[in-house]
Amino acid sequence: MPFLRFHIFYGSVFFVLAPVILIVGYSFFDSNGNFTLQNYATYFASGKYLAMTFNSVLYAFLITLLTLVISYPTAYFLTKLKHRDLWLLLIILPTWINMLLKAYAFIGIFSLHGGINRFMTFFGLAPHQILFTDVGFMIVATYIQLPFMIMPIFTGLEELNPSLIKASRDLGANAFQTFAKVVFPLSLAGVKSGIQAVFIPSLSFFMLTRLIGGNRVITLGTAIEEHFLVTQDWGMGATIGVVLIVAMFIVMIITGEKKKGGRN
């Protein structure tokens, strides 16, 4: 056990802390390798970067909200099914497919001559441009994130004690009151875990913004990719990365479980 703990500790330091330390370190240097605080000054003084931050948070919020609205009823319905393991497998299966392949599949579906527009043409409707739009980006991002919201909510609902629901009904509560006062509050841990699993990655989407959004959707992830791979301004790219890491920690703190004080 001590040997295993040793490897886990140093593995976490090497694979988690070391990259974060490198990103923070790069953020204090300019393109010439000189120590500077100008990267942070530029970021917080630039309307472009602040607007990009706002867009990232807004898109992540909308994606998380849409995913939650779809996932909670789905997870609740799954708990009532007989062959739930089979349905869960079907929900998990898309996560085994590379995101790039899924993005290209949606390019074919959303294009002017794709499946959706052909279906609309069959009913006499004019084709619409779905690809390279905010709506198309939101649909694809929500689809990709659905399993990561459904699974923790399903787990939270599965762990509910059925006797609590029965007791609520025996005390005269109707179905809506039972859900609002018993089921939903007791499944909040799963909801919070799902929000973390969806909101945090959604802040840094960059592949989908290019392939599905057509660069019309600009996020922090897009800016980081641009600075590291195109402009070669690693200091500014690292600065945006630090801001993104801080935002992720804030989300984790907000959605984290609060420890109850006092003694039993």
Side-chain angles (χ1 to χ4, degrees):
M1 286 298 292
F3 181 77
L4 180 61
R5 290 173 184 170
F6 175 83
H7 277 73
I8 291 174
F9 173 76
Y10 281 99
S12 63
V13 170
F14 183 78
F15 290 108
V16 178
L17 292 181
V20 172
I21 293 171
L22 283 174
I23 291 173
V24 173
Y26 273 121
S27 70
F28 290 104
F29 291 89
D30 59 19
S31 56
N32 296 319
N34 301 315
F35 181 84
T36 181
L37 297 175
Q38 187 58 41
N39 293 326
Y40 287 96
T42 301
Y43 180 89
F44 289 106
S46 171
K48 179 182 70 173
Y49 288 121
L50 294 179
M52 200 178 298
T53 304
F54 175 78
N55 284 339
S56 296
V57 174
L58 177 62
Y59 280 115
F61 172 77
L62 292 176
I63 292 167
T64 304
L65 181 63
L66 284 173
T67 308
L68 178 61
V69 169
I70 297 171
S71 297
Y72 199 99
T74 303
Y76 186 80
F77 180 69
L78 282 173
T79 60
K80 308 300 181 182
L81 295 179
K82 182 182 295 185
H83 303 291
R84 65 190 68 175
D85 292 339
L86 175 61
W87 290 104
L88 285 173
L89 178 62
L90 294 176
I91 290 171
I92 295 171
L93 274 177
T95 64
W96 300 353
I97 302 173
N98 185 272
M99 186 185 295
L100 185 62
L101 295 178
K102 288 186 280 191
Y104 277 114
F106 273 103
I107 290 175
I109 294 171
F110 285 165
S111 64
L112 283 175
H113 303 288
I116 291 181
N117 279 313
R118 286 184 180 181
F119 182 77
M120 293 172 64
T121 305
F122 180 78
F123 288 97
L125 300 173
H128 286 74
Q129 178 66 40
I130 305 174
L131 195 62
F132 307 141
T133 63
D134 292 354
V135 173
F137 169 73
M138 294 289 296
I139 292 173
V140 177
T142 300
Y143 165 78
I144 288 174
Q145 298 285 35
L146 276 174
F148 304 105
M149 181 71 79
I150 292 174
M151 290 308 300
I153 294 176
F154 173 82
T155 303
L157 290 170
E158 273 283 275
E159 293 176 351
L160 286 179
N161 189 343
S163 62
L164 296 176
I165 300 174
K166 185 177 179 181
S168 175
R169 295 290 180 87
D170 291 341
L171 292 172
N174 56 36
F176 177 78
Q177 290 172 327
T178 300
F179 174 80
K181 300 294 185 180
V182 179
V183 176
F184 185 73
L186 292 177
S187 62
L188 272 180
V191 172
K192 290 179 179 180
S193 297
I195 290 174
Q196 287 183 2
V198 172
F199 189 91
I200 292 175
S202 297
L203 279 172
S204 56
F205 272 144
F206 70 91
M207 185 188 302
L208 291 183
T209 58
R210 293 203 179 279
L211 296 177
I212 305 299
N215 280 342
R216 291 185 72 257
V217 180
I218 305 299
T219 63
L220 292 177
T222 311
I224 292 171
E225 181 202 24
E226 190 79 17
H227 281 296
F228 273 100
L229 300 181
V230 180
T231 65
Q232 296 294 310
D233 188 355
W234 286 24
M236 198 64 221
T239 301
I240 301 172
V242 171
V243 173
L244 191 60
I245 291 171
V246 171
M248 291 177 179
F249 273 112
I250 291 173
V251 173
M252 292 178 67
I253 292 171
I254 292 174
T255 58
E257 287 293 317
K258 295 181 180 178
K259 294 182 180 180
K260 295 181 180 179
R263 297 181 181 179
N264 294 331

